[in-house]
Amino acid sequence: MIRSMLKWPGGKSRVIPELLPHLPKADCLVEPFVGGASVFLNTDYRRYILADINPDLIRLYREAKNNPDLLISITRLLFEKGNCKEEYLRNRKLFNSADSKILASVRRAALFLYLNRHGYNGVVRYNQKGNYNIPFGKHKSNPYFPEKEIRCFAEKANDTKALFLCCSFHNTIEIITGADAVIYCDPPYLPASETANFTQYHTEPFTERHHRQLATELLAVNRKHGTPIVISNSDTEITREIYHDFRLHEISVQRSVSTDASNRQKAKEIIGVLNICEGCGRAGGGCCPDCGPAARLRKRHCRTGRGSVHNGISGNAR
């Protein structure tokens, strides 16, 4: 297992063995919610388009790809004297200050990695003003310095010529132009309970409305281009209703965020694979006889026991 340079609650490192069998072969993997980049690091596509709405995250990945030695050098200095509350708050204040906007890109990327590794449980969160507001993590020993992970990331990003985009999921999905890509979406999860609400999308909540928009746009790009689509999310009633066009596979994952480390129980999650017609690769869009009205009529006749409709249709309707 290749690890992320970041601590990332909700990252996919724990479920890679369950996820990989559901990711189809293609030339390019597109991730509108790249997060900790564990899927990128543990798959073997020739090309990658990796996007996120968080500019600090994308800046870090670009610097890790283009300037790994300098990023490692600057970040190491921050780690060497930064494992105390006073130093953490000083660096967080610098990161949030107006002056930080004129810092060299690699310096700000190093600060982001430092804050992520020294803050509470690796949570990444901003207030509505765009300020990073995670408290100090109170580590008993110095946090792990991810030099090996940065170098591994840089090597793969350069070998695959990975493209890192800072944009919303809407804009990322719009760039898809053909079926030689696979879209994998791991959006902020729908909360499984009132106390498990980790649904932030940079500075704003990622709401049920956003999930419905995402599901609609994913169906639209599949029907237009035949692009295979896989999603991950929490296993809740509303998740199953929103993503009802997907074939859902249940998995259990150890929680990584809790105030009580001894009480981090397994959570139910789902991996969803978009149901498609075997004839045209579309999600029931009427793009070929197999997924058109006649095929649906055939399914209705079969369900009512009236026999099949003999109309020259081959294949299965999905």
Side-chain angles (χ1 to χ4, degrees):
M1 177 66 63
I2 303 174
R3 298 290 181 180
S4 171
M5 71 182 79
L6 292 162
K7 293 178 67 177
W8 199 264
K12 296 280 89 62
S13 60
R14 292 180 176 86
V15 301
I16 287 294
E18 289 87 354
L19 177 62
L20 289 181
H22 300 293
L23 291 173
K25 293 181 179 180
D27 182 65
C28 180
L29 179 67
V30 179
E31 290 194 67
F33 307 88
V34 64
S38 290
V39 176
F40 160 64
L41 291 167
N42 290 281
T43 51
D44 296 312
Y45 293 90
R46 189 178 70 86
R47 297 185 300 117
Y48 291 86
I49 298 174
L50 306 171
D52 201 278
I53 201 171
N54 185 335
D56 294 315
L57 181 66
I58 297 302
R59 180 184 296 108
L60 173 62
Y61 289 160
R62 288 172 176 168
E63 293 299 335
K65 176 186 176 183
N66 298 322
N67 300 298
D69 291 334
L70 184 56
L71 176 64
I72 289 168
S73 174
I74 295 173
T75 308
R76 180 182 284 114
L77 293 176
L78 292 170
F79 273 60
E80 286 177 352
K81 60 178 181 178
N83 190 28
C84 66
K85 184 176 181 179
E86 294 73 21
E87 192 68 14
Y88 176 85
L89 293 178
R90 188 187 73 81
N91 283 316
R92 191 182 70 176
K93 182 177 180 180
L94 173 61
F95 186 79
N96 289 331
S97 69
D99 291 340
S100 74
K101 305 301 188 273
I102 62 174
L103 288 174
S105 181
V106 66
R107 171 71 175 172
R108 185 167 174 84
L111 277 170
F112 179 71
L113 180 54
Y114 162 84
L115 292 173
N116 169 260
R117 283 279 174 174
H118 288 76
Y120 173 74
N121 271 348
V123 175
V124 173
R125 185 183 65 204
Y126 302 78
N127 61 25
Q128 291 186 344
K129 294 181 180 180
N131 290 333
Y132 196 93
N133 63 358
I134 296 300
F136 180 59
K138 299 180 181 178
H139 303 279
K140 294 180 180 179
S141 59
N142 290 335
Y144 173 72
F145 179 58
E147 178 177 355
K148 181 178 71 173
E149 286 76 6
I150 294 172
R151 294 196 183 280
C152 182
F153 183 98
E155 182 179 1
K156 176 150 192 180
N158 283 290
D159 286 348
T160 60
K161 296 181 173 57
L163 179 63
F164 297 96
L165 303 178
C166 182
C167 59
S168 68
F169 71 85
H170 308 281
N171 292 337
T172 307
I173 292 171
E174 284 181 356
I175 71 173
I176 306 300
T177 58
D180 63 340
V182 174
I183 299 176
Y184 170 64
C185 285
D186 184 41
Y189 279 15
L190 285 156
S193 68
E194 292 295 329
T195 59
N197 195 352
F198 302 101
T199 63
Q200 192 169 16
Y201 190 45
H202 192 38
T203 59
E204 300 293 336
F206 197 86
T207 65
E208 179 184 325
R209 177 178 60 84
H210 290 102
H211 279 279
R212 294 188 184 279
Q213 290 176 343
L214 175 62
T216 298
E217 292 178 24
L218 291 175
L219 260 67
V221 75
N222 169 266
R223 289 173 179 172
K224 184 176 182 180
H225 299 297
T227 308
I229 297 166
V230 180
I231 61 101
S232 297
N233 217 265
S234 54
D235 188 358
T236 69
E237 183 177 347
I238 191 64
T239 305
R240 289 177 174 271
E241 187 268 313
I242 292 173
Y243 296 101
H244 64 273
D245 288 300
F246 289 73
R247 187 168 64 258
L248 303 179
H249 305 269
E250 301 173 9
I251 60 174
S252 295
V253 182
Q254 191 73 33
R255 290 190 178 96
S256 60
V257 177
S258 172
T259 55
D260 182 3
S262 64
N263 193 34
R264 292 174 185 167
Q265 301 174 353
K266 287 191 174 182
K268 292 182 178 180
E269 298 185 5
I270 55 96
I271 295 170
V273 180
L274 185 63
N275 282 314
I276 59 172
C277 167
E278 291 180 354
C280 66
R282 265 64 169 183
C287 299
C288 78
D290 286 348
C291 60
R296 290 195 292 272
L297 177 62
R298 180 180 62 188
K299 289 182 68 176
R300 185 163 64 248
H301 277 239
C302 290
R303 286 197 301 269
T304 58
R306 294 168 59 185
S308 60
V309 178
H310 299 286
N311 52 13
I313 294 175
S314 62
N316 297 320
R318 293 294 184 105

